[in-house]
Amino acid sequence: MTAQEPSSCPRCRREGLLLVRVPYGWTNAEGTAVDGRNGVVLCAACDAQAPHAAPLFTWFHVNSGVERETSEEFVRLLVAWAESASVPPLDEGRLDEEISLWRSGSL
């Protein structure tokens, strides 16, 4: 898991609080494992009911950044949230549609 600067939420397009890259993979049509990393955005709007998100929301509200003396607490909260975050399964139909749109110049 790696944490990065916030990015826009892919669900609502609002600014996210944090982008975390988590291990992710699936088995393709040939039965081969495809491994990689996928970004999961912590979003105040979309993740309001998500497990373990509330302590991170409080963290960002109270703290302006992660300092050496508070980093252990932040990492503990981050790991708890990231372990409960899930990456939705790959929607191959949607992927095919986006590839077609991209190839046609419509994306």
Side-chain angles (χ1 to χ4, degrees):
M1 173 185 70
T2 58
Q4 298 179 345
E5 289 296 316
S7 116
S8 66
C9 175
R11 297 164 286 179
C12 70
R13 303 292 184 229
R14 296 179 186 158
E15 185 176 348
L17 298 172
L18 181 70
L19 169 67
V20 177
R21 297 222 176 263
V22 296
Y24 176 67
W26 68 92
T27 303
N28 66 18
E30 289 81 34
T32 304
V34 178
D35 295 318
R37 293 190 175 274
N38 201 347
V40 177
V41 174
L42 176 65
C43 174
C46 296
D47 293 318
Q49 302 301 317
H52 307 289
L56 276 173
F57 295 149
T58 302
W59 174 271
F60 285 113
H61 182 73
V62 172
N63 298 282
S64 60
V66 180
E67 304 297 330
R68 174 169 273 202
E69 59 273 358
T70 60
S71 64
E72 285 184 35
E73 176 68 10
F74 175 76
V75 169
R76 186 182 66 72
L77 297 173
L78 178 63
V79 168
W81 171 72
E83 286 178 345
S84 71
S86 63
V87 176
L90 176 66
D91 182 339
E92 291 186 41
R94 184 172 176 203
L95 176 61
D96 289 339
E97 288 173 22
E98 288 187 9
I99 290 170
S100 294
L101 289 171
W102 178 77
R103 287 182 176 154
S104 70
S106 301
L107 185 63

